């Protein structure tokens, strides 16, 4: 009897804690977001053209399914009942019709708001309107909410994001909840049951390794963001991802840099949210964004985030990511300005991943090695590998068991 009562209490407690919808984002979310390329210069036409291009370019079929409008979609005032209103000049046919257009393309629709009183760009924030805004998103058919942290005036982050999470749940429509408080309050320690992904850093900037002074704050290049996110690998998994911010592929870095940036985001099981103007992207950019072998590393069903295994000489880093079926992804990233030769003896490099409980030991098992970008089998782990990696480029391998 005692046992039954205890069981009942346990179930009640579990029910209270389970704020999220189940089985959302079992692999890292993929999509497109307006911010990196357009800031607040967004409108209905852009959304429709982007949705069309996501389909015709093959992005949707490669896995990019969320089309997310970031800051700047709202009118400056709520309506007389307190509901958010889309900017009537930018979105003359309203949000519901636009969402229907995007849904009809086989895509999902995301919006942005903020836990503070105003968004980062000064539009109406959600603070005090959590349940009302969630209701409106559900009525519009929204599938994804990015929730920012500007103008939050010292409120408690865990409480603020939990309130919004509960509001979404209450509104009844499964909505992926993307926390964006830049890692300030260590969401990896408390947000697993609050949302599906959480930003771990400040904003990304489309450069390889820079810090861009924005006045009161800095935006960071791809390498800087990667370094900030690396140590958080124990906290990611199916349904709860570390988010090192959106992609800058196609936004001005070199081809090698774009390839490395994309590869490393996949190694980190990062959400893959394209941030370029896909209506005008080059074939090269599209080729990087839609490479199915590379995406398969990101979307691997185990959902384990890769990490830096070691640094070789001359700024070459070796990263490893356990994959399903005892396979591994291994990346050799050349951060230096010079081409680098690599000699790598798999027999001597035994990876004991004590966080994910996985071992890569080529003395016990012979793996075949595939170059992921060229899609060619290049040998096996009984041979010492020698290769040259161009500056800022990556050698991305898949070791098949
Ligand atoms: C913050 C976020 C960005 C973007 C802008 C919008 O800086 O971190 O990703 O959403 O706000 O104003």
């Amino acid at each position: 009897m005692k046992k039954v009562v205890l069981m009942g209490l346990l179930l009640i407690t579990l029910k209270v804690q389970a704020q999220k919808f189940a089985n959302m984002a079992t692999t890292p979310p993929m999509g497109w977001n307006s911010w990196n390329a357009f800031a607040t210069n967004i409108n209905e036409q852009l959304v429709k053209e982007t949705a069309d291009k996501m389909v015709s370019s093959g992005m949707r079929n490669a896995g990019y399914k969320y089309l997310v409008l970031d800051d700047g979609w709202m009118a400056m005032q709520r309506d007389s009942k307190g509901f958010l209103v889309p900017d009537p000049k930018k979105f003359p046919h309203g949000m519901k019709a636009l969402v229907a257009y995007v849904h009809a393309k086989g895509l999902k629709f995301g919006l942005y708001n903020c836990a503070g009183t105003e968004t980062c760009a000064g539009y109406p924030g959600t603070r005090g309107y959590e349940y009302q805004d969630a209701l409106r998103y559900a009525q519009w058919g929204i599938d994804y909410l990015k929730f920012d942290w500007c103008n939050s005036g010292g409120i408690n982050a865990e409480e603020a994001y939990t309130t919004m999470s509960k509001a979404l749940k209450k509104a009844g429509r499964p909505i992926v909840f993307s926390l964006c408080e830049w890692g300030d309050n260590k969401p990896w320690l408390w947000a697993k049951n609050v949302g599906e992904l959480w930003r771990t850093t400040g904003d990304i900037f489309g450069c390889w390794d820079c810090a861009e002074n924005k006045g009161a704050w800095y935006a960071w290049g791809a390498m800087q963001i990667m370094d900030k996110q690396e140590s958080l690998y124990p906290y990611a998994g199916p349904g709860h991802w570390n988010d090192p911010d959106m992609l800058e592929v196609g936004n001005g870095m070199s081809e090698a840099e774009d390839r490395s940036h994309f590869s490393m985001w996949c190694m980190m099981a990062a959400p893959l949210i394209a941030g370029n103007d896909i209506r005008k992207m080059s074939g090269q950019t599209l080729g990087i964004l839609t490479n199915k072998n590379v995406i398969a590393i990101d979307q691997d069903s185990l959902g384990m985030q890769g990490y830096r295994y070691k640094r070789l000489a001359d700024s070459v880093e070796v990263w490893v990511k356990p994959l399903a079926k005892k396979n591994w992804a291994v990346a050799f990233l050349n951060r230096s300005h010079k081409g680098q030769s690599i000699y790598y003896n798999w027999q001597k490099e035994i990876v004991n991943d004590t966080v994910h409980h996985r071992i890569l030991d080529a003395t016990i098992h012979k793996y075949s090695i595939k170059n992921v970008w060229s899609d060619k089998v290049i040998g096996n782990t009984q041979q010492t590998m020698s290769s040259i990696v161009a500056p800022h480029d990556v050698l991305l391998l898949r070791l098949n068991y």
Side-chain angles (χ1 to χ4, degrees):
M1 184 62 191
K2 231 183 187 173
K3 253 189 186 162
V4 174
V5 175
L6 269 178
M7 205 53 178
L9 278 176
L10 190 68
L11 281 176
I12 292 169
T13 326
L14 284 176
K15 213 172 161 209
V16 172
Q17 283 174 351
Q19 295 139 359
K20 302 201 301 187
F21 287 95
N23 301 323
M24 307 265 288
T26 50
T27 60
M30 293 175 67
W32 174 88
N33 174 299
S34 53
W35 184 254
N36 288 356
F38 298 98
T40 58
N41 301 314
I42 51 179
N43 59 53
E44 201 169 279
Q45 198 56 29
L46 170 69
V47 172
K48 287 184 170 174
E49 288 172 11
T50 300
D52 294 351
K53 193 66 193 278
M54 283 172 85
V55 178
S56 65
S57 65
M59 279 188 72
R60 180 196 64 187
N61 289 351
Y64 295 86
K65 63 178 179 187
Y66 292 99
L67 188 160
V68 183
L69 274 184
D70 208 283
D71 210 350
W73 62 268
M74 292 173 249
M76 280 299 181
Q77 304 294 332
R78 290 173 178 270
D79 72 10
S80 58
K81 294 199 176 92
F83 284 106
L84 290 170
V85 183
D87 181 322
K89 283 212 186 74
K90 294 174 176 172
F91 302 97
H93 298 93
M95 209 41 90
K96 200 164 180 168
L98 191 57
V99 173
Y101 182 93
V102 171
H103 281 167
K105 298 272 163 190
L107 296 165
K108 292 182 176 287
F109 200 106
L111 281 178
Y112 160 102
N113 208 321
C114 185
T117 49
E118 285 179 6
T119 72
C120 296
Y123 294 83
T126 287
R127 186 159 183 209
Y129 293 89
E130 288 82 359
Y131 284 80
Q132 188 169 3
D133 287 356
L135 194 62
R136 184 56 24 124
Y137 300 147
Q139 287 165 346
W140 282 340
I142 298 303
D143 309 292
Y144 184 109
L145 177 68
K146 172 176 170 182
F147 208 52
D148 215 337
W149 192 232
C150 283
N151 307 303
S152 49
I155 55 175
N156 178 294
E158 183 175 351
E159 279 173 26
Y161 282 94
T162 301
T163 301
M164 193 63 210
S165 174
K166 286 182 175 166
L168 292 174
K169 186 87 190 283
K170 184 91 198 242
R173 183 179 171 86
I175 292 180
V176 168
F177 189 35
S178 155
L179 285 70
C180 177
E181 58 73 77
W182 320 309
D184 288 2
N185 300 277
K186 300 190 168 59
W188 46 90
L189 297 180
W190 49 261
K192 193 175 170 186
N193 295 316
V194 177
E196 280 72 33
L197 61 160
W198 50 78
R199 281 274 295 279
T200 55
T201 71
D203 288 8
I204 195 167
F205 190 75
C207 64
W208 175 250
D209 195 359
C210 70
E212 173 78 5
N213 190 341
K214 296 274 189 184
W217 54 283
Y218 281 89
W220 309 99
M223 289 298 98
Q224 310 239 351
I225 297 254
M226 183 185 83
D227 286 341
K228 290 174 200 290
Q229 155 126 336
E230 194 269 337
S231 63
L232 302 175
Y233 71 92
Y235 301 101
H240 53 98
W241 308 102
N242 288 315
D243 174 9
D245 206 358
M246 301 169 289
L247 296 165
E248 292 282 13
V249 174
N251 284 345
M253 283 189 277
S254 72
E255 181 182 358
E257 290 168 345
D258 272 355
R259 188 165 37 240
S260 293
H261 166 38
F262 191 71
S263 301
M264 298 317 289
W265 260 233
C266 291
M267 287 297 289
M268 294 191 292
L272 298 178
I273 311 290
N276 57 318
D277 183 351
I278 65 168
R279 302 168 310 167
K280 296 180 185 155
M281 70 186 149
S282 66
Q284 179 187 296
T285 296
L286 176 65
I288 292 174
L289 287 173
T290 56
N291 184 299
K292 66 177 185 339
N293 295 335
V294 186
I295 291 174
I297 291 174
D298 181 78
Q299 297 287 304
D300 181 78
S301 60
L302 280 186
M304 293 176 176
Q305 181 176 326
Y307 59 96
R308 187 185 289 116
Y309 161 61
K310 64 158 55 172
R311 290 188 169 91
L312 306 179
D314 299 322
S315 303
V316 175
E317 297 183 355
V318 187
W319 287 60
V320 294
K321 180 185 197 286
L323 303 175
K325 300 187 181 149
K326 300 189 183 168
N327 302 325
W328 287 77
V330 182
F332 294 82
L333 175 68
N334 178 5
R335 297 178 68 153
S336 80
H337 301 299
K338 290 187 300 182
Q340 301 289 354
S341 303
I342 292 169
Y343 301 96
Y344 198 75
N345 185 347
W346 299 97
Q347 300 291 313
K348 294 206 170 130
E349 303 290 351
I350 294 162
V351 180
N352 184 7
D353 179 343
T354 53
V355 166
H356 301 121
H357 308 293
R358 291 289 189 286
I359 292 181
L360 165 53
D361 185 346
T363 66
I364 297 176
H365 186 85
K366 180 170 94 178
Y367 298 78
S368 76
I369 305 176
K370 190 184 217 185
N371 179 325
V372 177
W373 283 102
S374 73
D375 201 19
K376 290 205 171 82
V377 174
I378 59 164
N380 63 58
T381 50
Q382 277 176 345
Q383 303 146 339
T384 293
M385 187 182 73
S386 95
S387 186
I388 296 174
V389 185
H392 295 184
D393 214 332
V394 69
L395 173 64
L396 185 60
L397 306 175
R398 187 181 175 102
L399 270 53
N400 286 317
Y401 189 79

